[in-house]
Amino acid sequence: MGFTISKAVIPAAGLGTRFLPATKAIPKEMLAVVDKPAIQYVVEEAVAAGLTDVLMITGRNKNALENHFDHVSELEETLRKKGDHEKLAKVNQSTDLADMHYVRQGDPLGLGHAVLRASMHVGREPFAVLLGDDIIDARDPLLSRMIEVQGKKNASVVALLEVPDNMTHLYGVATVEATDEDDVVKITGLVEKPPQGEAPSNLAIIGRYVLRPEVFDVLEKQAPGKGGEIQLTDALEKMAAADEWTGGVYGVVFRGRRYDTGDKLDYIKAIIQLASDREDLGEDLKAWILEFASGLEK
Ligand code: G1P
């Protein structure tokens, strides 16, 4: 029997130390990518895939996240009085997106631990997990395809991206077998951030998962792994090996546009890429980039 998946879990409890001092008093998820906080892209992606209920796993210092998805009456009133409907629509965009819920992680014991904090809210149904460091271009739907594959296989599904050899140590990496669908693979093994040269393949997990609730049963017993943290990858490795009761794990190989906002350089690239595609900014920005680049010395 298939479920309609309606719940998205977004872990957002990280300290964002790579972006200090910008993240001293505001969560890294609130850093603007062009003119929208990174987290809003992620919630919009979940909503576009039909998910209506969003649970954020937050921590200390994360009040700005809750405020961003809530009404801000004074500002709304001021804009309404001024008749500035365009700005008012921008303010309301994030308020009306989804049914938002929050739970704190408490101790930051790893991604697996953060996801386990969702178990009460999610219950015994399949759900999606979206990590905030990855932004998937809205024109290249990934999550809806993953949800489709989840329903068809009654399994758990992760998003995979082919990355170069010198990048595999930054990701969970999969061992896979082909299926009869070109963009779907069966996962037979997973390893979290393998040392350089030891990755079983070039297929890296990017931050999108559609999981069966059995993942909670596995996570409850999951010992700390890489970095002393409870790793979601380790739990999924167990699920892949126990497909009689977990349904196994499949990968959807993503070939679309993805922007990483996890470190400073990638964050700057993401802003430039997204802004150059924008109708209101693209033309002027591209002209300036060409001029700027021609003056650069190698
Ligand atoms: C996490 C996961 C890793 C995955 C990555 C995707 O790592 O543990 O398996 O490949 O997200 O972005 P993090 O980047 O949070 O260290």
Side-chain angles (χ1 to χ4, degrees), residues 177-199:
E177 282 169 6
T179 70
D180 51 15
E181 285 176 286
D182 169 53
D183 63 333
V184 181
V185 289
K186 181 159 178 27
I187 293 188
T188 56
L190 281 170
V191 48
E192 178 67 7
K193 304 199 175 108
Q196 293 242 29
E198 289 178 31

Side-chain angles (χ1 to χ4, degrees), residues 66-81:
E66 295 192 31
N67 291 340
H68 184 70
F69 293 99
D70 198 1
H71 279 288
V72 49
S73 319
E74 315 89 285
L75 177 59
E76 287 169 33
E77 198 43 45
T78 310
L79 292 171
R80 208 170 286 122
K81 274 193 195 135

Side-chain angles (χ1 to χ4, degrees), residues 111 131 133-134 170-172 192-193 205-207 209 231 233:
L111 178 60
L131 306 188
D133 284 349
D134 286 301
L170 301 171
Y171 296 95
E192 178 67 7
K193 304 199 175 108
I205 303 179
I206 47 172
Y209 308 78
Q231 297 290 352
T233 304

